[in-house]
Structure formats: structure tokens, C-alpha cells
Amino acid sequence: MIRSLPLSLVVILAVLQDPPKAPEPKADLYGDPLPAGVVARFGSLRFRHIEDVNAFAFLPDGKTLMVVDYAFIHWWDIATGNPIRPPVKKAGRGFTSSFSGDLKRIVTGEYDRATGWMVGVYDSGDGKCLRVIHAGDDFNGQPLGVGLSDDGALLVYGGVEGQAGVWEVSSGAKVATLKGHTGQVWGAAYSSDGRFVATSGQDKTIRFWNPKTGEMTGKIDTPFPFHSPAISMDGSRIAAGSSEDRAVRVWEVATGKELFRIERKENVNFYPFFRRDGATLAVVSDGTTSLHESSSGREVKRLAGGGYRGALSADGSRVVAGLGTRFRIWDAKTGAPVHEERPMVGDCVATWFSPDDASLKILGSTIQVWDCATGGLRSSREISKYGVWYGVSPDGLHYARSGSHGKVTVHSSVDDSEIAAMDLDNDTIVGFLALSNGAKRLAVRNTNSAGVQVFDLPSGAEVKAVDGRGLKGASLAFSPRGDLLAAEGPDGSVLI
């Protein structure tokens, strides 16, 4: 005979059973969780920036790396590469930034469409904006060099038309005008003791000023224009870099005597900075990062990577350098990277899936092929160090790519082999491209004349020319049959 269980016992048994386990979140190639519904992630979340970096600082806790980029302030865990807190958006966008000597404040030169050029000062603890000084009577152009006093109470600015000055952060009042440069002022720095500020400029001079009175107290005539001046902790030496000289030079502040020169013929951009104790001078260039004795310039360590900006930790154990949206951290003693390098998605101008959906091709200054199942990078090939325009046929089987001096090449999407090439007029500056199915027709936006030209392939004969002055960005696209061409209109519309 079948007997039923009491309802209370059924409830107890149900409660005692283990609840169903939630499914484990899907992770990417490096173990970071993926959002719900996401199959794969290309690249890594570690130290991930979408804007170009322009300043670094290792904070005194020894665990945090602060990074300022064009639009945001970031705090990263050095050990894991994970964000410590959400990034903070700056008041505007800008590429020049600097930290106070005590690392408690950040100054940035910025631009905002609504308010124009400005200089902003932020708290490095929470990113709070402490002061914004807008362009006006005191300065009227782009900030090219900015610096802060050791305690962050005063800022120095250098800009266009020889403009330079000192401001009080708390009140926003101008303290002194630094008048003397005859060209753009490319760099500005405060001495640690606050006795003087230094500026470097297009007029081939490095000048020293009394920040309270604005009086020029010294000048070094340089053989080339120099930028990014850095003053040693004791104020006795100044270093600066020059793209024309392809070197960093170090001078004695008191006498203006050149002490030594560090040359990098293969590089263009140079950024020097001293360790706080003054014992080490680091030189970051677009190809290498090197550590030197600050007294003699003797190279102590060369690291495999460079950038446009960098920083040394207070104890000298870590060095960071970055270029574009990427940067690396090294052990300063061994030269070994602190983290293994992970591939990142390059600048993305065009993308398409392979016919079997197994991979995604991303085109920019590099051609990358990513595995859709694992998120791993299958291949990567550099095309150009500069921006490249692409146009993809509607069926994705072919693409066109702009080159230098008006050259456009057409390629197979399967193996990137070149199937056609065109040399356009020397006055043509290629902006946007479109390619029809079968690679039969090519549309080119000439940003020099604002015109749009349509060519027959492979003969190269011009089929049609359109006055593109009424177009906005003029993104172009062919219809599948190739008899219609779409372009972005001036008012957000699309014109056919």
C-alpha cells in the first residue's frame, strides 16, 4: 500500500536539499569574468585604456599606479592590473599632465568644446576637481606644458605665442606672468624647493624664473627646441628632450653648462625624469626606456619598450612607460616586465567575420585576426605607424586601404593579397573609402578638396566626381549591386 508523506515533512525535506547552484560565469582567456551572454573577449581588461595615456605616478602605498589619459584619471593595482576604483572623468580632454612632487595633486591642460582651453587641477586620492582656470585674458590658447609646485599649491603653465605664467590653485588668481619666450612654450616645471620654475620652448631656450615676481633669473640657449623639462630634486640640474636633436641633454642650472647628452638616433620623442632621490635619470623614448646615473649619464639598464611618458617608483624598484593606450611596468633592477604582455585590440577602422564565423578580422594601423571561440589573437601585422583608412565591400570579400601620397590598394579579405592598386593625384588626401562587391568600383573622399571620386577597377578610370563640400564626415558605402553610393549628410542625414 502506498502511503503519502505529511506535507510538513515534504517541506522540511525540500528545505534541507542543497539549492541549485548558479552557473559559473564564463571567463575570458585570462580568467576575467565575461558579461552575461558574451562568448569571448578580444584583448585583456588588465591596465585597459581607451584613451592615450599622458602621465604616470607610483603612489606612496607601493601598490597603486595612477595613470592620467586624455579623458580620465585611473587607479590601477600594480600586482594584478585590475582597477582599484572606477576612473574619474576630467573636465575636458588633453594630452599634457603632471603630478605635484608629493603626488597628491594632478595638473592637466585640457580642452572642452563648450568652454575652450583650460587648465585643471585634481586630487590624486579621489579625482575631485579642485580648480579649473579657463582661457581668457591670462592665456588664450592651448596649454602645451604644465607643472605643479611640490605641495601642489601653485601651478605653472606654458602655451602658444610665448605665453607662460604662475597661478595659485586655491584661489585661481594669477601670481606672475613669465614674459620672454618668442615662440610656443613646450614645457614647464617647478623646482622641488619652489625657488624657481623652468620653461622650454620653440625659440631654442630654457628659461628660469622667480615664480613670485615673474623675473627671469637665467637662460640656456639650446641648439634645438627642447620640451619636457625635468628638474633634479636638489635643483642643481635640468634635463630636457628634443625630437630634432634625437637626444636628451642635461645642464647645470647655476651655470648653464651642458653636463652630458644621451642620444637615440632611431627615436623621435624623448621624455626625461629624475628619481626623487636624484640618483637616477630615466629616459623614455618611442623605442626604448633606459636608466642612467644622473651625475654622469652612464647607462645602467635598458628596457625592451618605450613610450611618450613614464615614471619611477620612489624606491627605484619599478619603472613604467607608455605609448598610446598601452604601457608596461618593469623591474628596474633586472629589466624584466612585471607582467606578461597580453595582446590588445588595435585601432579599429573596419571589422568583419570570416565566412565560418570562426574569426574576426580587425583593420587599423595593424591587421589583426582574433579567434571567436577563445578570444585569442591568431595573427597581427603592422601596416602603418599612422592612421589608415579602409573601405570594405558589402559582401566582405575585398577591402581597400589608403597608403601614403595618395596610393590606394585593394586586397582579398581571405589572405590579404593585393589584387589592384591606384596612384591618385598628389593633391589627394584620402579620408574615407568605399568598395563595391567584386572590387569593381572604388569611391574615395578627398579631404583636401572635399570631393568624392568614383573609379572603375582595375582600369583606374574616373566614373563620377561629386562635390562633397555639403557632406559632413562623408562615411561612404556602396549598395550590394554597386549602382548606389551612400554618404553622411551635413545634418545627420544620409544621402544616396
Side-chain angles (χ1 to χ4, degrees):
M1 182 177 67
I2 300 175
R3 299 180 61 187
S4 60
L5 293 174
L7 180 61
S8 59
L9 182 57
V10 173
V11 172
I12 293 172
L13 289 174
V15 170
L16 293 177
Q17 288 178 345
D18 292 333
K21 291 185 177 180
E24 291 290 332
K26 190 176 177 64
D28 65 15
L29 186 63
Y30 305 104
D32 293 320
L34 293 170
V38 174
V39 176
R41 175 185 286 121
F42 301 153
S44 170
L45 291 179
R46 190 183 67 190
F47 298 133
R48 187 175 183 86
H49 282 250
I50 59 173
E51 301 277 358
D52 286 359
V53 298
N54 54 53
F56 301 93
F58 291 97
L59 295 192
D61 63 7
K63 300 177 182 179
T64 307
L65 175 69
M66 275 197 72
V67 183
V68 183
D69 64 25
Y70 269 33
F72 296 92
I73 301 170
H74 299 258
W75 294 261
W76 297 102
D77 186 302
I78 297 173
T80 65
N82 295 325
I84 292 176
R85 55 175 297 155
V88 172
K89 187 176 177 59
K90 298 187 296 181
R93 293 173 57 83
F95 69 91
T96 179
S97 302
S98 181
F99 286 85
S100 60
D102 61 10
L103 303 179
K104 293 181 179 180
R105 289 184 174 181
I106 311 156
V107 61
T108 68
E110 305 175 11
Y111 179 79
D112 178 74
R113 287 184 178 181
T115 58
W117 295 108
M118 60 185 139
V119 177
V121 180
Y122 302 85
D123 187 290
S124 64
D126 56 12
K128 179 182 178 181
C129 184
L130 305 175
R131 173 66 56 190
V132 173
I133 300 173
H134 292 281
D137 295 335
D138 289 328
F139 70 93
N140 56 22
Q142 178 181 358
L144 301 175
V146 290
L148 283 170
S149 60
D150 212 55
D151 60 2
L154 299 166
L155 72 86
V156 57
Y157 150 92
V160 298
E161 299 176 0
Q163 298 179 83
V166 177
W167 280 262
E168 185 180 60
V169 173
S170 60
S171 66
K174 191 171 188 180
V175 176
T177 298
L178 312 180
K179 191 173 182 179
H181 281 287
T182 57
Q184 293 181 347
V185 182
W186 287 353
Y190 235 103
S191 67
S192 294
D193 58 9
R195 288 187 302 109
F196 67 92
V197 295
T199 56
S200 62
Q202 193 178 24
D203 60 1
K204 300 180 183 180
T205 65
I206 294 175
R207 299 172 187 253
F208 304 102
W209 314 84
N210 182 322
K212 296 180 180 179
T213 66
E215 176 189 1
M216 188 173 72
T217 58
K219 184 179 76 167
I220 300 173
D221 293 309
T222 60
F224 302 95
F226 277 77
H227 58 82
S228 305
I231 303 169
S232 62
M233 184 68 178
D234 62 4
S236 64
R237 287 153 293 158
I238 185 167
S242 170
S243 57
E244 293 184 39
D245 192 22
R246 302 212 169 196
V248 164
R249 299 194 188 213
V250 178
W251 296 267
E252 191 175 60
V253 171
T255 64
K257 176 185 176 182
E258 183 178 317
L259 300 177
F260 55 86
R261 177 174 178 268
I262 300 169
E263 184 180 275
R264 294 279 187 275
K265 289 184 178 180
E266 70 277 15
N267 304 138
V268 176
N269 298 284
F270 296 89
Y271 176 75
F273 50 96
F274 289 95
R275 182 179 160 187
R276 287 285 287 176
D277 65 2
T280 304
L281 171 67
V283 175
V284 174
S285 63
D286 47 351
T288 58
T289 300
S290 54
L291 306 178
H292 304 258
E293 291 181 349
S294 62
S295 58
S296 65
R298 185 182 72 87
E299 185 174 303
V300 177
K301 183 71 66 177
R302 184 174 293 202
L303 309 172
Y308 291 158
R309 291 292 185 267
L312 273 166
S313 61
D315 61 2
S317 65
R318 296 282 188 268
V319 60
V320 61
L323 171 65
T325 61
R326 306 183 66 176
F327 56 88
R328 298 187 74 181
I329 303 172
W330 293 271
D331 184 300
K333 293 182 180 179
T334 66
V338 173
H339 303 281
E340 82 280 3
E341 189 169 12
R342 295 177 181 176
M344 303 290 283
V345 175
D347 53 316
C348 179
V349 180
T351 62
W352 65 85
F353 286 96
S354 61
D356 60 1
D357 290 346
S359 64
L360 180 74
K361 181 171 287 189
I362 297 178
L363 301 182
S365 56
T366 60
I367 295 180
Q368 296 180 323
V369 179
W370 294 84
D371 189 292
C372 293
T374 66
L377 180 64
R378 290 186 179 183
S379 64
S380 180
R381 180 163 60 94
E382 184 179 88
I383 299 300
S384 171
K385 293 184 180 296
Y386 309 100
V388 180
W389 291 107
Y390 289 88
V392 183
S393 62
D395 59 13
L397 296 179
H398 300 91
Y399 67 88
R401 184 176 77 224
S402 67
S404 58
H405 307 294
K407 185 173 183 179
V408 176
T409 54
V410 180
H411 302 260
S412 164
S413 300
V414 177
D415 57 7
D416 299 316
S417 60
E418 183 179 310
I419 61 173
M422 286 187 59
D423 289 308
L424 303 176
D425 188 278
N426 288 332
D427 292 332
T428 299
I429 301 176
V430 178
F432 294 85
L433 297 171
L435 191 66
S436 69
N437 280 339
K440 294 179 179 180
R441 289 190 173 181
L442 172 73
V444 178
R445 171 69 188 274
N446 183 353
T447 58
N448 194 26
S449 66
V452 176
Q453 297 168 281
V454 180
F455 299 94
D456 177 72
L457 293 175
S459 69
E462 184 179 290
V463 176
K464 191 176 185 65
V466 179
D467 185 351
R469 285 175 293 182
L471 303 179
K472 188 180 179 183
S475 298
L476 305 173
F478 275 105
S479 64
R481 291 186 302 181
D483 54 357
L484 297 176
L485 182 68
E488 182 183 1
D491 55 359
S493 62
V494 175
L495 305 179
I496 305 295

